[in-house]
Amino acid sequence: MDFESYDVLVVGGGLAGLRAAIAAVETNPRVKVGLVSKVYPMRSHTVSAEGGAAAVLRPEDSYETHAFDTIKGSDYLADQDVVEAFVREAPLEVIQMEHWGCPWNRDPDGKISARPFGGMTTWRTCFAADKTGFHMLHTVFQTSLKYPQIHRHDEAFVTKLLVEDGRCVGVVALDQRSGRFDAITAKAVILATGGAGRVYAFSTNGNICTGDGMALAYRAGVGLKDMEMVQFHPTGLPYTGILITEAVRGEGGYLTNKDGERFLKRYVPNKMELGPRDILSRAMTTEFEAGRGFEGPHGQYMHLDVRHLGEAVIDRKLPFMRELGREFVGIDIVTDPIPVRPVQHYMMGGVDVDIYGATSLSGLFAAGECANVGLNGGNRLGSNSLSECLVFGAAAGRAAAHHASSAGAAGANPVAALLKDEARRVEDAYLDKRGGEERIGVIREQLQKEMDAGAGVFRTRDGLGKLTRQIGELRERFERIKIEDSSRTFNTELTAALELDFMLEVADAITYSALAREESRGAHARRDFPERLDGEYLKHTIAHHTDELAPRLEYRDVHITNFKPQARSY
Amino acid sequence: MEKKITIQATRFDPEKDRAPRLQTYEIPFSDQSMVVLDALNYIKAHVDGSLSYRWSCRMGICGSCGMMVNGTPKLTCNAFVRDYWPRPIVVNPLSNFPVVRDLVIDIEDFMRKLKSIKPWIIRKQDLPLGAGEHRQTTAQIDDFRQFSQCINCMLCYAACPVYGLNDEFLGPAAIALARRYNLDSRDQGTRERLPVIAHSEGIWECSFVGECSVVCPKGVDPAKAIQQTKLDTTMRFVLPYGNRE
């Protein structure tokens, strides 16, 4: 049997995946790269990132300050060697994006401009208006088109990693157009599939953010690190969860409660609106509980007010926010305050990788939001994630290219057998379930609602314990799903079922990891354990897949270099 | 009494159907914030799991949920149901494209055209990273800013009568993106893009109906890009030494 075969195969066509693909061919122009994405790359969720990409480019800034801001923001759960390497690479990557055509906003001297961002002590967030992710993604995608060595498989859904003799040798992918299962082999595979925010109901994440890469690696025996660390962004639009960028606060926006009070003075008096996301989300939730939010048809909300900035600043620096206000809320942010509330936004947790993106499985790498390299710890600072996709996407691309030059090709016979097994598994588990009774959409909505309730901004043992049982029940119901769509052609019901299967795995890893961490650190706020306990929990949680409902949890020490843990106050 | 909205959606499964047909769904319309995409999602989750369409970001930036809504190309994530109710909403796949399945269109033609215009910065000599960034003024960015807003949603191709008649036509989005790079002060590739753009199926096909600019959800003005490019190309022939590079 013939299979498409590559030196390096990238799964995911967002910023990290495309950066990895380009890095691989620039490391070695003879490397043949495959890029599999379940959507066209320019539809990837990077497109929704708004505020900017952090990098030390200004003379008044320093690597040390960027590192310290990141480590303090992480509530000391970041690996400090990783952070130190990251802050040195980020400026080069931002300049590389400039050379590739990214329309960064500029200072009067023509250099790349920067804006302030939450938790960053100086202006280091480079931006392209408030569509930074959109512009970066289109820049890197369009640039990738000039490399003939990069072969794309668009709208192909990876259902399984091919593992042979303890190494990853490729993937099985469902071509959505034809409905055919293909084995795509490679000497090295990079997962860059993005986050898993859609396990929550109220999220800024696109429909495609279902944790596929995390679940693929997890099932192949690779650990998921710090999955309890789920970021809630303080400012999402009620109902839709559309992100109102932190740049709105960076540019000087105020958050006020129904009494017209800038309530953050009670929580982060020295930083106010420029406090980090985890603290602001908790502050808002606490205010809601005290009844100091505005009441709306979709629950309580606060006001985010930029009226005092004036139309000129808004149009130069926040034009997309004005567009979103007009089109989705029916307000003009020049004259009206924006209704906002905390919303799931980002997964700090992900596939356990080292600084080169390598996992414990030979030949398998990961980068971007689906990976956890140890940069973000308990709370990611805004504008570090776009830079992370560049720095660690490039690192994984280079490492995979090197790995490919020394690894042998996969043997065809075991791959043929593995492909056949996987195609049959999906047939049996999904397409032959026309007699089932459970609707995928209904199970999915239930999962999302329960995750919001049990693993949200604040957690408790009771809530998390109940959630583990609810997820268990949903898994049982998932066994009885009904697939109405019998077509092979673009069967989005089948892909939604495959995604839901992955989401249940990820939700389980989040919940059990959260239940076991009996302290409060970063985004993980336990009402029953409000203190940070460095003696016991200055450690990464690693969740390993088992055949039971509960994962096997291990812990690993955090790498501390120059910054000793101290109380986190702002 | 609970309000209802009637959605009629195109169904087409190439494995079974010879021609597309319309299927009618009646679903609750309970929320003023509901958009046409929410209605489709309600149908898929609760009524008919086999309805196929693309969507992702739900905030008008990923470009995947474009469909014809009552005959007009729209992003369904910001087409509000309240603006149509109580009349029924008819949702068809974007016009002028082959249909893969139901509301899913084939955009491979655009993907080839996008690549053909070389949408990347072309320079005689790349600046090394160590040399830092190219300097660029805000005014220089303003030259190409609007053309860089294209989300590849294909609404402009669905609205373009020329593309409807001749799919060899390069089309509005591809020309706007070529213009985006040609106008970028960092780029030196105008001459390399010329053969594709000045090709007879390039800009000269455009009859300047201007519908592409009307339907663009991002305020890009592809019609302007086409007119500018026509002028620019003509000037190159008339004034061979007047090239900008």
Side-chain angles (χ1 to χ4, degrees), chain A residues 103-384:
Chain A
W104 297 115
N105 276 48
R106 304 284 179 148
D107 282 339
D109 63 1
K111 291 183 146 188
I112 297 169
S113 195
R115 64 175 23 138
F117 237 66
M120 301 279 186
T121 47
T122 187
W123 294 32
R124 66 165 72 94
T125 297
C126 306
F127 62 104
D130 50 0
K131 291 186 183 175
T132 312
F134 162 80
H135 284 301
M136 290 174 78
L137 180 69
H138 280 251
T139 297
V140 76
F141 172 59
Q142 290 169 9
T143 299
S144 79
L145 297 175
K146 79 178 179 189
Y147 295 93
Q149 306 98 312
I150 300 175
H151 302 253
R152 291 206 326 275
H153 298 249
D154 296 333
E155 301 198 312
F157 187 101
V158 172
T159 65
K160 193 181 196 321
L161 298 178
L162 289 168
V163 179
E164 182 197 4
D165 294 337
R167 63 182 191 134
C168 183
V169 295
V171 304
V172 175
L174 169 67
D175 177 72
Q176 295 185 74
R177 182 90 179 246
S178 67
R180 195 184 61 233
F181 285 89
D182 295 317
I184 306 175
T185 61
K187 293 172 183 168
V189 173
I190 303 171
L191 295 171
T193 57
R198 280 277 158 172
V199 301
Y200 287 86
F202 191 64
S203 171
T204 61
N205 283 197
N207 181 48
I208 55 177
C209 301
T210 50
D212 308 347
M214 295 177 190
L216 286 167
Y218 190 47
R219 285 184 177 173
V222 177
L224 295 180
K225 186 158 73 191
D226 301 332
M227 290 299 283
E228 64 275 31
M229 298 302 178
V230 179
Q231 181 161 80
F232 292 83
H233 195 291
T235 61
L237 293 178
Y239 179 68
T240 58
I242 290 173
L243 175 67
I244 297 301
T245 173
E246 189 165 311
V248 170
R249 285 173 280 125
E251 297 296 345
Y254 299 144
L255 273 170
T256 54
N257 63 18
K258 74 162 193 223
D259 304 323
E261 179 192 31
R262 284 176 73 189
F263 58 92
L264 290 170
K265 65 187 180 200
R266 281 193 286 281
Y267 305 89
V268 266
N270 298 321
K271 283 274 185 182
M272 297 297 287
E273 281 81 2
L274 287 178
R277 293 173 176 180
D278 56 339
I279 297 178
L280 263 56
S281 293
R282 284 192 290 277
M284 285 170 78
T285 307
T286 306
E287 289 285 300
F288 291 155
E289 286 169 355
R292 289 195 285 268
F294 298 89
E295 284 294 343
H298 304 287
Q300 290 193 70
Y301 62 89
M302 293 296 184
H303 273 165
L304 178 57
D305 198 340
V306 291
R307 290 176 291 185
H308 53 285
L309 298 182
E311 191 167 5
V313 170
I314 289 170
D315 283 347
R316 174 66 60 196
K317 293 184 165 172
L318 304 167
F320 189 38
M321 297 305 107
R322 196 171 183 195
E323 187 183 323
L324 290 174
R326 266 194 198 128
E327 293 191 4
F328 291 91
V329 198
I331 58 166
D332 184 350
I333 69 169
V334 171
T335 52
D336 307 301
I338 314 165
V340 290
R341 51 165 283 208
V343 52
Q344 190 285 337
H345 181 58
Y346 184 87
M347 306 295 297
M348 270 74 73
V351 179
D352 179 24
V353 295
D354 69 12
I355 202 161
Y356 305 105
T359 69
S360 59
L361 179 61
S362 174
L364 184 68
F365 299 78
E369 190 175 344
C370 83
N372 181 337
V373 64
L375 175 68
N376 302 307
N379 172 60
R380 174 179 68 83
L381 292 190
S383 74
N384 268 354

Side-chain angles (χ1 to χ4, degrees), chain B residues 98-114:
Chain B
V99 175
V100 175
R101 161 84 194 269
D102 295 347
L103 299 160
V104 178
I105 53 157
D106 180 349
I107 65 164
E108 284 298 316
D109 179 50
F110 171 75
M111 298 303 281
R112 279 188 293 273
K113 285 172 176 165
L114 175 66

Side-chain angles (χ1 to χ4, degrees), chain A residues 29-45:
Chain A
R30 289 188 306 280
V31 162
K32 190 178 163 197
V33 176
L35 195 141
V36 184
S37 169
K38 72 174 174 178
V39 293
Y40 280 97
M42 70 277 189
R43 316 298 190 209
S44 302
H45 187 60

Side-chain angles (χ1 to χ4, degrees), chain A residues 40 43 98-99 101 106 109 112 131 142 155 177 207 298 316 323 327 484-485 488-490 492, chain B residues 15 31 49 52 54 78 80 101 106 108 119 132-135 145 149 152 180-181 186 218:
Chain A
Y40 280 97
R43 316 298 190 209
E98 194 281 331
H99 289 193
R106 304 284 179 148
D109 63 1
I112 297 169
K131 291 186 183 175
Q142 290 169 9
E155 301 198 312
R177 182 90 179 246
N207 181 48
H298 304 287
R316 174 66 60 196
E323 187 183 323
E327 293 191 4
E484 293 171 273
D485 192 343
R488 293 259 166 199
T489 310
F490 224 91
T492 50
Chain B
E15 295 170 31
D31 198 302
S52 281
R54 295 186 180 105
N78 65 8
F80 284 85
R101 161 84 194 269
D106 180 349
E108 284 298 316
E133 68 264 65
H134 303 100
R135 304 283 182 111
R145 189 188 299 275
Q149 307 292 322
N152 306 167
R180 174 250 175 277
Y181 282 96
R186 296 167 288 187
K218 295 284 123 182

Side-chain angles (χ1 to χ4, degrees), chain A residues 363-413:
Chain A
L364 184 68
F365 299 78
E369 190 175 344
C370 83
N372 181 337
V373 64
L375 175 68
N376 302 307
N379 172 60
R380 174 179 68 83
L381 292 190
S383 74
N384 268 354
S385 74
L386 288 173
S387 304
E388 175 183 9
C389 287
L390 295 174
V391 169
F392 294 104
R398 288 190 286 264
H402 287 305
H403 180 90
S405 61
S406 60
N413 283 334

Side-chain angles (χ1 to χ4, degrees), chain B:
Chain B
M1 200 184 72
E2 194 183 41
K3 283 198 269 186
K4 297 269 188 189
I5 182 82
T6 301
I7 307 279
Q8 295 184 295
T10 302
R11 303 304 309 270
F12 174 69
D13 179 352
E15 295 170 31
K16 285 189 279 199
D17 303 324
R18 253 186 278 169
R21 61 196 158 85
L22 272 187
Q23 188 161 348
T24 302
Y25 303 95
E26 197 175 74
I27 61 163
F29 168 40
S30 48
D31 198 302
Q32 285 298 306
S33 305
M34 185 182 201
V35 293
V36 172
L37 179 61
D38 295 332
L40 296 176
N41 287 340
Y42 183 90
I43 293 167
K44 190 160 182 76
H46 300 281
V47 184
D48 181 352
S50 72
L51 180 67
S52 281
Y53 48 94
R54 295 186 180 105
W55 73 286
S56 182
C57 76
R58 210 207 170 280
M59 57 189 285
I61 191 89
C62 81
S64 61
C65 72
M67 300 172 210
M68 305 299 289
V69 181
N70 286 5
T72 305
K74 290 258 186 201
L75 294 181
T76 51
C77 72
N78 65 8
F80 284 85
V81 169
R82 61 175 187 250
D83 295 337
Y84 300 90
W85 187 85
R87 291 171 295 135
I89 300 174
V90 183
V91 186
N92 307 122
L94 281 180
S95 299
N96 301 340
F97 290 91
V99 175
V100 175
R101 161 84 194 269
D102 295 347
L103 299 160
V104 178
I105 53 157
D106 180 349
I107 65 164
E108 284 298 316
D109 179 50
F110 171 75
M111 298 303 281
R112 279 188 293 273
K113 285 172 176 165
L114 175 66
K115 189 174 175 179
S116 77
I117 56 112
K118 303 191 177 185
W120 53 81
I121 295 284
I122 297 171
R123 292 184 64 83
K124 293 187 182 87
Q125 185 130 41
D126 283 334
L127 199 62
L129 287 188
E133 68 264 65
H134 303 100
R135 304 283 182 111
Q136 196 168 43
T137 65
T138 299
Q140 285 172 321
I141 299 170
D142 284 342
D143 284 343
F144 69 88
R145 189 188 299 275
Q146 66 134 321
F147 299 125
S148 74
Q149 307 292 322
C150 172
I151 60 173
N152 306 167
C153 66
M154 301 292 103
L155 265 51
C156 57
Y157 284 76
C160 175
V162 180
Y163 186 66
L165 293 170
N166 175 10
D167 62 13
E168 294 291 308
F169 176 43
L170 195 52
I175 295 171
L177 284 163
R179 191 83 192 137
R180 174 250 175 277
Y181 282 96
N182 285 347
L183 290 174
D184 193 320
S185 58
R186 296 167 288 187
D187 183 80
Q188 300 167 332
T190 303
R191 194 190 289 271
E192 278 193 49
R193 292 186 196 98
L194 197 64
V196 178
I197 297 162
H199 184 264
S200 61
E201 313 290 8
I203 49 173
W204 303 107
E205 278 291 303
C206 170
S207 50
F208 202 49
V209 176
E211 272 306 302
C212 51
S213 300
V214 174
V215 299
C216 178
K218 295 284 123 182
V220 181
D221 187 350
K224 180 174 161 192
I226 294 170
Q227 294 314 102
Q228 284 180 351
T229 308
K230 280 181 179 173
L231 185 66
D232 219 32
T233 317
T234 309
M235 294 306 276
R236 276 165 190 277
F237 285 118
V238 177
L239 302 168
Y241 304 107
N243 291 356
R244 289 192 317 123
E245 309 103 317

